[in-house]
């Protein structure tokens, strides 16, 4: 049974629909990524699935008792709003100290409970948002452009973390992303949205679809094909440059280098 499904989902804010007859489902354990141009309705689709946005037509079905974790696109914390990581993790439900510590450790932020949110780097803040979402022990983790504003190593490290979380928690992941090369290496399924579903399927299929190419161009499509990546292969050389980047950059560049390998599990 699907964890979540949209059927003929339509959302209008006045004029022409922002979402028009969208069908989508997420199955247990899979990573599904939504790509699409600016304003194509990606966030609206996530908000509809989460129940924050009411559809004009169609319906959303969730598995009964579905445990959801949500990492929003942006969260502005101003200097006039002092808040520690510990307090932030307690919104809206206060976790036990051990659970909070474990969630922070899982995202590479062990012992950071007492830090002020305002003092965190972009990458550290994203990790705290992820830790907060993990406290729900989600069966489905929903992320809206989780690496916006991060540099490329930070981005690659964050996606690697998401893959690890998926493995450990066995949760499905539904995300919106603009980081096309990472999307293509880290997703089981890609949905290309432009108010309606233009095309959907494995990264390989989508990157070669004419509908996708019409939106993103041949240049990008070519680059994406290069980025398709076998998760299990050995690169045959060491990507660790011999210095410690700290938690923000605890990457091995696994998904940051062009590879000519085809995706083995696509
Ligand atoms: N609550 C709202 N009221 C009116 N219009 C809205 C509302 N929410 C979204 N829109 C409009 O719907 C369209 C799609 O917005 P949405 O944020 O879903 O797109 P997106 O694909 O996520 O864009 P981006 O890639 O820029 O984040 C935009 O034109 C936006 O202005």
């Amino acid at each position: 049974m699907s964890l979540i499904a949209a059927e003929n989902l339509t959302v209008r804010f006045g004029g022409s629909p922002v979402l028009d007859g969208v069908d989508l489902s997420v199955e247990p354990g899979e990573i599904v990524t939504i790509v699409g141009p600016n304003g194509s309705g990606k966030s609206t689709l996530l908000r509809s699935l989460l129940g924050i946005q009411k559809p004009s037509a169609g319906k959303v079905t969730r598995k009964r008792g579905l445990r959801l974790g949500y990492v929003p696109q942006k969260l502005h914390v101003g200097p006039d709003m002092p808040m520690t990581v510990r307090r932030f993790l307690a919104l809206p439900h206060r976790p036990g100290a051990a659970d909070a510590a474990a969630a922070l450790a899982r995202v590479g932020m062990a012992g950071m409970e007492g830090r002020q949110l305002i003092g965190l780097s972009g990458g550290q803040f994203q990790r705290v948002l992820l830790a907060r979402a993990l406290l729900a022990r989600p069966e489905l983790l929903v992320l809206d452009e989780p690496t916006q504003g991060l540099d490329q190593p930070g981005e690659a490290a964050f996606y690697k973390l998401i893959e690890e979380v998926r493995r450990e928690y066995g949760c499905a992941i539904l995300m919106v992303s603009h980081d096309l090369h990472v999307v293509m290496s880290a997703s089981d399924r890609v949905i290309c949205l432009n108010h309606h579903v233009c095309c959907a399927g494995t990264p390989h299929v989508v990157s070669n679809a004419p509908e996708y190419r019409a939106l993103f161009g041949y240049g990008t499509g070519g680059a994406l094909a290069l980025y398709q990546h076998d998760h299990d292969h050995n690169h045959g050389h060491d990507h660790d440059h011999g210095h410690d980047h700290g938690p923000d950059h605890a990457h091995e560049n696994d998904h940051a280098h062009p590879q000519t390998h085809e995706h083995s599990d696509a």
Side-chain angles (χ1 to χ4, degrees):
M1 184 198 168
S2 304
L3 295 177
I4 202 160
E7 235 177 283
N8 192 32
L9 188 68
T10 299
V11 175
R12 263 194 198 85
F13 295 112
S16 51
V18 168
L19 294 177
D20 192 3
V22 171
D23 292 327
L24 172 153
S25 65
V26 181
E27 308 304 321
E30 65 173 349
I31 299 187
V32 179
T33 308
I34 302 168
V35 298
N38 289 126
S40 57
K42 303 181 296 296
S43 297
T44 304
L45 176 54
L46 287 194
R47 289 207 312 275
S48 305
L49 291 168
L50 291 165
I52 303 166
Q53 174 66 52
K54 198 170 172 291
S56 314
K59 66 173 180 177
V60 171
T61 318
R62 286 185 210 102
K63 189 192 128 187
R64 187 183 288 266
L66 178 69
R67 293 193 309 277
L68 256 170
Y70 177 45
V71 177
Q73 186 172 23
K74 269 189 203 143
L75 203 68
H76 290 292
V77 181
D80 47 347
M81 199 176 88
M83 185 180 290
T84 59
V85 168
R86 181 183 292 109
R87 267 195 68 203
F88 179 69
L89 292 179
L91 302 173
H93 305 295
R94 188 176 184 165
D99 287 346
L104 285 175
R106 184 61 205 87
V107 301
M109 295 281 288
M112 304 284 246
E113 287 91 334
R115 291 278 295 271
Q116 285 292 326
L117 287 185
I118 190 76
L120 301 179
S121 73
Q124 289 174 326
F125 192 69
Q126 283 311 109
R127 284 164 188 266
V128 169
L129 284 175
L130 179 60
R132 182 166 159 267
L134 292 179
L135 285 169
R137 308 245 7 130
E139 295 165 278
L140 174 62
L141 189 57
V142 177
L143 305 107
D144 194 350
E145 296 196 49
T147 60
Q148 214 180 41
L150 302 191
D151 62 12
Q152 207 195 3
E155 212 178 271
F158 193 82
Y159 282 108
K160 185 164 181 284
L161 177 60
I162 288 175
E163 277 195 342
E164 289 167 8
V165 160
R166 191 250 303 239
R167 261 203 310 279
E168 272 177 44
Y169 286 66
C171 59
I173 290 173
L174 175 64
M175 63 183 166
V176 165
S177 184
H178 276 131
D179 313 321
L180 293 176
H181 59 284
V182 187
V183 167
M184 288 298 165
S185 65
S187 309
D188 298 315
R189 216 145 51 81
V190 177
I191 291 167
C192 181
L193 187 76
N194 194 15
H195 307 297
H196 63 281
V197 176
C198 298
C199 53
T202 62
H204 180 74
V205 166
V206 170
S207 62
N208 286 305
E211 297 88 346
Y212 178 88
R213 298 234 165 168
L215 285 172
F216 291 104
Y218 282 85
T220 316
L224 292 176
L226 287 178
Y227 274 105
Q228 287 181 39
H229 186 133
D230 181 338
H231 292 279
D232 299 319
H233 76 272
N234 187 343
H235 290 180
H237 59 280
D238 187 7
H239 285 308
D240 186 347
H241 302 299
H243 56 276
D244 183 10
H245 294 285
D248 272 6
H249 300 283
H251 66 289
E252 295 165 358
N253 284 349
D254 251 10
H255 297 292
H257 290 290
Q259 301 292 327
T260 50
H261 311 276
E262 286 297 305
H263 200 292
S264 66
D265 52 4

